[in-house]
Each structure stands twice: as structure tokens, then as C-alpha cells.
Amino acid sequence: MKPRLRDLVVRLVRLARRVGGYARGRMVAGGVLWRRSLQFRVTVSTLALSSSVVFILGMVLQHQITSRLTETKQQAAIAQTLQVVATAQKELVGISDQDALPDRLQNVVRKITSSSTDDGSGSSAAGAFEPVLTAGGSNSTDSAGPIWKVPEGLQRFAEANQVAHQIHTVDDNGTRTTYLMVGAPVTSTGRPIQLYLLFPMTAEQNTLTTVQNTMLVGGLVLLVLLAGISNLVTRQVVRPVRQAAAAAARFAGGELDERLPVTGEDDLSRLAVSYNEMAASIQRQIRQLEEFGTLQRRFTSDVSHELRTPLTTVRMAADVLHASREQFPAGLARSTELLVDELDRFEALLGDLLEISRLDAGVEELAAEVIDVAPVARRAVEQVRVLAGNAGSEIELDLPEEETPAEIDARRVERILRNLLANAVDHSEGRPVRVTLRATEHAVAITVRDYGVGLRPGEADLVFNRFWRADPSRNRRTGGTGLGLAISHEDARLHGGQLAAWGAPGQGACFRLVLPRRQGEPFEESPLPLVPADAVSSGAANIGSGADYTITFAELRKEDVG
């Protein structure tokens, strides 16, 4: 028996868990629906409030009906009792023989019953009744009728010569019957005699049951109708709002011709008209900005191309002068060298302008192939090592021992790292610059950390802007064009990666490049934090990711702050 009992308990526990899990799931689903559906909230709220109103109204009506039925029954029963008392007094006048008292009481009870039936009083407002006559209470043999049904409390009132009534339930061999009992004294005899009339409340109870059932069914039907009506009315209001939300989502997704239908002249129609006017205004402004951006990119591209020819001519003349500078006086020779240096910078600026105009036009393509990222980082370091040596900064490499293959465009990644390194050297103030490479299954991250002047609050969001400089008054060592970080930002976007910056005054700056190991494959976490581990916690520290550009980055995660 014990193993069977144990199996039964285990089954019951499993069933309870399943029922609990299902109930929790339904509650969660209901909570989600409650938060997301205005129509559901309004319908449920209306149904709950209506249920409360119907319940209170039903209780009030039931109490009123019960009170009215009971009061009417009492008044009719007391009147009927007084009539019967008068009849009993006539029949019991002059009783003196004690031995004949029980028989006389039985005769009077029979006459009361027959007379009430003959004169129609049995069908009066009080209804049928059972008469009881007694000369000594429940324990006396001088009684006629079911005296055991009369409660002692009512008997005490009647024995004290008072007319009293009481509602009492009698259990007769398992059959429970509720009576309205009225007791009164019979004063025409020398011996105290009491008369009780027992009026069954069956008809009133049946009436109350019918009223309760009618009110219950009517209340349920009313609640269903209210729920349907509230759902229909709310739907008429919510449906246009949902249409407006869907239209706004499509408009935000780029469907600028999306508009709301306007029907009627009500508040929702005016809302649709206002939305359409707003959408049309935004569409005009966006198109104007697009046209302006197109013209600006075309102007930059055309100017860059047009400057190529005169620049080539000037370059040829400058090279001739530079080759003959030893024959010139010292001042003229120095001017020739400065001319060549500025022409080199001018050519670099034109090249960057052409590159960024192609990126803006979206004509650049990614020539990605699976290669090891570490050699790309080494080549970028070698290209700026001379510059770092002139600035007195040492470049430290922290690369993993194993290969870190990734599907990248080596030329663009190398250009990103070269720009980051040149920027770090220019702001390192002669301190070391550290390059760190790490990889996970889905991403490769490279950080370029310097310990120079750092970035003031808000500047981390501006470093990727075109031609922006942290301090225009500072002497630059690299002679950059001001477009390197902007181009690097676009190169990272082409790879589907992230380029972000961190900096704090006096603590230096850190730039982090995160690239997916396979093109088109998303990644969630970066192998390296953006905020260096050796950074001192400070409210002045700030983080930027170039969010003003077309690339979109995920929110800063916990590993980014430590």
C-alpha cells in the first residue's frame, strides 16, 4: 500500500505543479495583455465596476423585497390571529371542568380550522396556518396542535398576555420548514390559555428564490452585454489609435508617404489631419535635407576632382624647385621645403575628401577576406613608429600568441588603426601608447590607449566629427587633415562593427574598435572593455560612440565600465 500511496502523492504533486505552472503562465500572459492592450484594460475595468454595481443593486433589491414580503406577511398574520382569538374566546367561555379541557381544546382547534376554511380566511394574505391551543406550555398535556413546534421564547411572551410573533425554522424528521408564528392569550377563561397560529413561509421563500434566480440571470446577461458594449465602444476609439501607431512606425521606418485616412469630423479625425500635416512637413524637411546633403557631397566630390589638375601642376613645379633648393639662398630654400610639406598635406586632404565623399555616396564596397588581424596591427604600428619616436612616445603592443583570423578588409582596418595611433601619439604628451588585441568566438577588439591630455566631458561624442579638434590652439605634430577619425568611423560601419571613444582629463583616452569575425554575423559583447582597467573612477570621464553618424551602437554594457 505504501508504494501505491507514494506514487499517488507524486502524481498529485506533479499535477499540482502543472496546474500551478499553467496558472502562472496565464497570469503572465494576462499581465502582458493588460499592459499592452488599452481595449482589454477598459473592458475589464468596465466589467469589474459593472459587477460591483450590479451586486450592490441586487443586494439592495433583495433586501427590499424580503422586507416587504415579511412585513406584509406579519401584518396579515397578526390580523388573522386576532380574528381566531375572538373565535376561540367564544368557544372557551365558561370552562371549569378540568378533565374535559384537552377535549375542549381539540374541538376548538378543529372548529378554528374548519371555520377558517369555510370563510376563505385560509386563502387570505397570511395564507394557511396550523392552530395550536395550550393551557400549560410545551410540557403540559392540556394542549391541542403541534405545541412542540412553538419556541419557548414566543411562549413566554404569550404567557405574559402579550401578542408576539417570531420567524422560526422547524426540523420535522429531516424536513425543514420555516414558519411565521404568532402567539396571543385567550382571556375569556379562568385558566390561562394561549393560542398560536403557525403560518408556513414556503410561498415567500419560493418567491425570493425566483427573484434571486431572475436577478442572477439578469445580472449575468447585463454584465455580458456591458462587456460587449464596452469592448465595441473601446474598439471604435482604440482602432484609429492603433492605425495611427502603425502608420507612425512605418513612417519612422522610412515610408515617408504613409498617411492616415480621414473620415468624419470628430476628434480622431482631427488627430489624423494633424498627423498627416506633421508627416507632410517632416517629409518636406527630410527631402530638403537629403537634397542639401546630395548637393554638398557632390560639391565636395567635384571640387576635389577639379583641384586634382591644378594641384598636379603645382606639385610638378614644387618638385622642380625642391630639387634645386641647394642653389637657392637659405630663406628661399626653406620656403621651398615648406611648400612641399604643405602640398603633401593638401594632397592628403584631397584624398580624404574624395574618400569620405565616396563613403557618403554609398559607393564604397568592402573587400573582405579571412586574415589574421595581428599582422595588420603590426603594420599600422610600424607606419607610425617614426612619428612616435619624434614625439618621444613609445608604442607598446599586446597581442595574443594564437592567430586571430577575421573576415575584414585589411586596407581599411589598417587605415583605422593608423589614424587612431597617429591621434594617440599627437595627444600623448610623450607618454607611451598601448595597443591591445583580443578576440572571442564572434568578435575581435583592438584598443589604442594613450596617457596624454585626455578628453573633457562631452568631447568623446565629438571626436568623430569632421574637422573637429579638441584644442585648436595646440600644436599638432602629425599635420592631420581632420578627417581621419570620421573616415575610420565609416570604415568600422562598413564592417558592421563599432568604434567608440573614452577619455578623462589627465588620464588619457582610449579608442576601441570592435569587428565581427564573420561578416553579417552579429555580436553581443566586446572582448575588451572600453574603459581601461587602470582608469581612475571620476565623474569627469565620458564615453562616446559617434552616435551622430549613421552607424548605430548597442547600449554600454557592464564590461564597458570596468
Side-chain angles (χ1 to χ4, degrees), residues 372-383 385 397 399-401 417:
D372 187 7
V373 181
V376 177
R378 291 192 184 95
R379 289 198 300 269
V381 170
E382 291 300 325
Q383 292 178 18
R385 192 173 293 278
L397 270 174
L399 305 178
E401 297 181 357
L417 296 179

Side-chain angles (χ1 to χ4, degrees), residues 495-507:
H495 281 84
Q498 303 175 356
L499 182 58
W502 167 90
Q507 299 188 46

